[in-house]
Amino acid sequence: MNRLIDKLFHAIDCFTGILTGLMVLFVFLNVVLRTFFNSGLTWSEELARYLFVYVTYIGAISAMHSNAHLGVDTLLSRVSPKVQLALYLVSRLLIAAIMCILVHGAFKMVLQNTQSRTAALGIPYSVLYFGGIITGISIAILAATNIVYALKHPEEITDIVTMHNDDDDIATEAMEQAEELSDEEYVKRLNEQGGK
C-alpha cells in the first residue's frame, strides 16, 4: 500500500513539474512575442496565472505528504517526547480544521461562480476554485493519517517532528563516509587531486 501511495505522489510531483514547465513556456513565449513582434497571446498570461494557482495547490498536497512545509523545530527539539506528541497532534488537528474551512469556502466559491467565466480563456471560475476543495480534502486526509500514525508509533515522534531537508541528509551522509584526516593529510590529498 505504501509503495502505491509513493508512486501516486511521485506522479503528482511529475504532474506539478509539467504544469510548472508549461507555465514557464507560456510566459517565455509571451515575452518573446511582445519583445520581438510587438504582439502577444492574450490567453497565455491568464493560463500561466491559473497554472501557477494549480501548481501551488498540488504542491501543497505533495509537501504535506513528505512533511516538507516550512517549519521550525526549535521548540519541539527541546521538549520531551510526550510533549512533542501532544504538540504534533494539536498542530495536525489545526491543519485539518483549517483545511475544512478552506473546503467550505472553496465550495461556496464554486457554487457562486458556475456561470462566471475567465476573460481570455472562457474557463468557468468554478474550475479554478475547485482546486481549493481538492487541496483541502487531501491535506485534511493526510493530517488525519499523520495523527493515526503518530498515535500508533509514539516511539518515532522525535523523528516525525524533526524538520529534515536534503542538505542535512547530504551533509550527514558525507560525514558518515568521510575519513578522519589531519589538516596536513587533507591538504596533501587536495594537492594530489589538483585542487578538485
Side-chain angles (χ1 to χ4, degrees), residues 49-114:
R49 188 176 331 124
Y50 299 142
L51 287 173
F52 181 71
V53 169
Y54 267 88
V55 164
T56 304
Y57 279 144
I58 296 169
I61 297 168
S62 183
M64 180 68 178
H65 173 258
S66 60
N67 198 24
H69 280 289
L70 184 62
V72 179
D73 60 359
T74 306
L75 173 65
L76 289 174
S77 64
R78 297 171 191 241
V79 295
S80 69
K82 286 185 179 184
V83 176
Q84 287 177 342
L85 180 62
L87 291 173
Y88 182 76
L89 295 177
V90 167
S91 72
R92 296 303 170 210
L93 287 170
L94 285 172
I95 289 170
I98 290 169
M99 290 302 109
C100 289
I101 293 169
L102 174 66
V103 168
H104 178 70
F107 185 72
K108 280 182 162 182
M109 293 301 290
V110 166
L111 292 179
Q112 290 175 359
N113 291 290
T114 54

Side-chain angles (χ1 to χ4, degrees), residues 21-41:
L22 288 172
M23 181 177 62
V24 169
L25 175 71
F26 289 131
V27 170
F28 178 74
L29 179 64
N30 206 24
V31 167
V32 169
L33 289 174
R34 286 180 192 236
T35 303
F36 295 111
F37 301 105
N38 209 17
S39 70
L41 302 172

Side-chain angles (χ1 to χ4, degrees), residues 63-67 85 88-89 92 95 139-153 157 160:
M64 180 68 178
H65 173 258
S66 60
N67 198 24
L85 180 62
Y88 182 76
L89 295 177
R92 296 303 170 210
I95 289 170
I139 291 178
I141 290 170
L142 288 170
T145 58
N146 289 346
I147 290 170
V148 170
Y149 185 84
L151 290 173
K152 285 185 176 180
H153 303 94
I157 192 63
I160 294 171

Side-chain angles (χ1 to χ4, degrees), residues 20 85 87 93 137 168 170:
T20 303
L85 180 62
L87 291 173
L93 287 170
I137 290 172
D168 291 342
I170 291 169

Side-chain angles (χ1 to χ4, degrees), residues 151-162:
L151 290 173
K152 285 185 176 180
H153 303 94
E155 68 280 356
E156 296 179 23
I157 192 63
T158 301
D159 291 333
I160 294 171
V161 300
T162 303

